[in-house]
Amino acid sequence: MSQMKISPETVDWECATCGRALELSKVHVAYLESRFTVELLRCPDCGLVYIPEELANGKMAEVERILEDK
Amino acid sequence: MDQKELREIENRCIQEEPAWCMAECPLHVDVRLFLKKMAEGKWDAARKVLDKTMPFPGILGRICDHPCEKKCKRGEVDAPVAISELERACVTFTASLKKVMLLPDRGKRVAVIGSGLSSLTAAWDLIRKGYGVAIFEPGSYLGGSLWNLPHDLLPKQIIGDETALLQNTGVRINLKAAITPERFEEMYADFDAVYIGQDNEIACDFGLAQTPSGRIRTDDVTRAASRKGVFAGGIPEDGSTRPSPVLNAAQGRWAATSADRYIQNVSMTAARPHEGPMKTRLYTDITGIPPLPRTPVSDPEEGYDKEAAIGEAGRCLQCECMECVKACPYLEHYKSYPKSYARQIYNNLSIVKGDRKANTLINSCSLCRLCETVCPESFSMADLCHNARQEMVRVGKMPPSAHEFALLDMAFSNSDKCALARHAPGESGSAWLFFPGCQLSGSAPGHVTQSYSYLREKLGNRVGLMLGCCGAPAHWGGDAKRADAVTAQLKAQWTKMGHPRPVLACSSCMEMFRKFLPEADPVSLWEIMAREGLPETALNARAGASAVAVIDPCTARHDTGVQESVRHILRETGFSVAELDHSREMTECCGFGGLMANANPDMAREVIRRRAGQSPLDYVAYCAVCRDHLATTGKRTAHLLDYIWPDEAGPDPAERKNPGYSLRHENRARLREKLLSELWGEKTEETDACEKIVLHISDEVRDRLEDRRILTGDIQKVLFHVQNGGAHFKNPKTGHWLAVHRPLNVTFWVEYAPSGQGFEIYNAYCHRMIIVEEGK
Ligand code: SF4
Ligand code: SF4
Ligand code: SF4
Ligand SMILES: [Zn+2]
């Protein structure tokens, strides 16, 4: 999961509710019985986490698959 | 599955049975492997195969009387492979690479009388097993009558070299030994066992029971004589007078095995079914193998030269079964065959911790049952995989992603939005019940409406209608509980409607109904149409009709009544019907069966691509899924009903697009609404607020959503969520919005912008992983 890195510079999304730019922070993600900690972009105010398309279709999908086969 | 069941399943697959040559060889030399190496010109590797099993390959390789050849499968095509000449060539062109490995000395000793091939073999095997061996030969050299063979066949030098090998291993050799009754008694007392080789005449009465022909009487397999610890061999088979070198060697070998067991005081007879020529259950298809005459020997005395040997070895068929693997791309993909898949699946099910490597293997089978149809032993990979799935679901180890999409699709088809069960308008009972199935309803709802009015016209008005899914997806996915729930519900409805006879338009539904509702005696729409006659519209299609190839769905594989009806209907409609190589009983799955397309989309794509390429003719399918899957490849494929109600099918039915998942949902829901209002005059309840949200989606994005299994309904839910205060992002540069929502087990992300009355959708993606909220 450590490869689930993203570079904040290329992300233009900001939180629509709070109007804040997103910041890197540690986030817990879980699937089936496993939990991981990853660095992801989130709204510093309300905590809304952003998952980019490349992550969802790439590393995340791969890890989902591996965990399903456990 | 327990060990015993696994064994039984494995035993069904005969792929690992020996080839005929090996089975017939009394020593079971792996002739097939030997010939493979020979054909590749790998001389040393070929020699290694002989060295592994043959005692004294330098001798036996030249003089073996090759009983294998008379059973060689190639002989059924033209002439057997010249196995014996090839063994001769191999030992002529190579030196032995044998490394002699002796087991530690056991402190026990065996006497071997005589030094023909059987005695030499017994001595060779016993010294390697760690026994002290002493040979007693009445003559003045080892080998006996081997020295009488023509020099061209067996050069004297070779006899000397090969027997010297025996001396080097430490066998004690007594030449000019007097073999008398008294000397035999001394041996019997001094040694732990005695072997008597009768390859050459030995003038001595050993005081043992004899056969009428004056040989020592022995057990056929153990070679045990009438006295404990005495073994004998080197005797022609009863009724034969010609000694067989390979049989002599084999008898020496069996006697050595028995002597070893006798000395160790374990059963001499247990677990020895494979000694000597045996039957094999192997099956090898030889149809279409072109005849190829046996390569003549280059020189009658010298035998083959290298080139001729390689050519002759290439005639070997490398006998194996693989019938199912040749027929099924799925079985081929995993690079092995059912016997080994059975073990992999067993291991997968037995794992407590660690990777379940066979999950995808188990879930990718289309359960189409082609394998069991082509297998000479009816091995069913479908049953194997299906049982494994049920077990995985039972113990909670089925990966959620494998089938969830199909299960949700099924749930939607059976929800209030799509499902329906009614007597015909104006009727209070039903003699018949039309069940079109969820796939036809999703793919071509117009055909459902037409078929229903056709049936009421032909069968009298008492034809009820039931919309929904038969439960096949849950059944295929191994989810017995869910499948049972669906079928129980259907059965209850059917009972409530007064046991009408079901008329089915889908072969998968037919399979399910036959399983859970056999007493209803379901009949296919095609059989009814063939019997009752076609509507005018079908007959009008006659003009311009040409040749088409029929696609039988895998679930109609054994349904000859249905197959005939379909062909009859097509001919009535004016088509000439062509058969694919794989049709009727041999038909192939479209990749949807068994939920292959859900668990392994890449494989399903490959399967359907192969199917699409089997004929240049237009295809006609009579399963909505086969039709739509073929359409995705660009192959011109129509549904049979497209030619019966051409008005519903558009100008060129063979070009109709696959409606895709989202439209399927919509089609089913709209079909219900339309039928309710048109036939029963009922106004449907307000559509969900969600469904009112208008989406603008370009073709490109639509294709992407389709690939990602994201439905427009999912997107509407996400947008509805935002409208009701759900979190989202904005991009000041593009002016786009990005909303996120997890209605069930999947988190959806939708990039959009308001546009007119609705929304323009730019992108959507999804994942199953959950972001854990702080503090949870
Ligand atoms: S057809 Fe397949 S399953 Fe049947 S014996 Fe041959 S290899 Fe085994
Ligand atoms: S064709 Fe080859 S593998 Fe088959 S029986 Fe003959 S020698 Fe053996
Ligand atoms: S896909 Fe069909 S032929 Fe292939 S293993 Fe499964 S049931 Fe057998
Ligand atoms: Zn915020």
Side-chain angles (χ1 to χ4, degrees), chain B residues 18-23 30-33 35-36 68-69 71-75 79-83 86 282 284 286 313 315-320:
Chain B
W20 287 268
C21 45
M22 181 181 185
D30 190 345
V31 178
R32 182 175 60 190
L33 181 60
L35 293 176
K36 179 166 189 264
C68 52
E69 286 187 27
K71 288 288 172 73
C72 169
K73 195 79 185 169
R74 178 94 223 184
V81 178
I83 299 169
L86 288 167
L282 189 64
T284 298
I286 52 169
R315 288 180 67 242
C316 169
L317 304 175
Q318 290 293 306
C319 292
E320 59 175 352

Side-chain angles (χ1 to χ4, degrees), chain A residues 28 30 51 64 68-70, chain B residues 355-356 401 765 768 770 772:
Chain A
H28 301 294
I51 307 251
E64 284 168 9
E68 286 183 346
D69 291 349
K70 284 276 174 217
Chain B
D355 280 2
R356 278 162 232 274
S401 69
Y765 52 94
R768 294 173 163 272
I770 303 164
V772 186

Side-chain angles (χ1 to χ4, degrees), chain B residues 666-684:
Chain B
E666 275 171 55
N667 282 343
R668 288 177 196 143
R670 280 204 219 111
L671 175 64
R672 177 179 178 273
E673 277 177 31
K674 180 171 177 259
L675 288 169
L676 273 180
S677 82
E678 286 178 7
L679 292 182
W680 285 277
E682 288 177 25
K683 283 244 154 282
T684 48

Side-chain angles (χ1 to χ4, degrees), chain B residues 283-348:
Chain B
Y283 172 86
T284 298
D285 182 15
I286 52 169
T287 47
I289 291 176
L292 203 65
R294 197 166 167 144
T295 318
V297 284
S298 331
D299 171 325
E301 260 140 43
E302 308 260 311
Y304 285 129
D305 60 27
K306 284 193 171 178
E307 198 185 324
I310 290 175
E312 176 62 11
R315 288 180 67 242
C316 169
L317 304 175
Q318 290 293 306
C319 292
E320 59 175 352
C321 175
M322 296 299 255
E323 286 302 300
C324 58
V325 181
K326 285 186 260 172
C328 167
Y330 152 73
L331 290 173
E332 189 189 4
H333 177 85
Y334 289 97
K335 303 211 172 3
S336 193
Y337 44 84
K339 183 169 189 157
S340 102
Y341 297 148
R343 171 141 316 254
Q344 292 173 31
I345 289 173
Y346 172 80
N347 289 342
N348 203 76

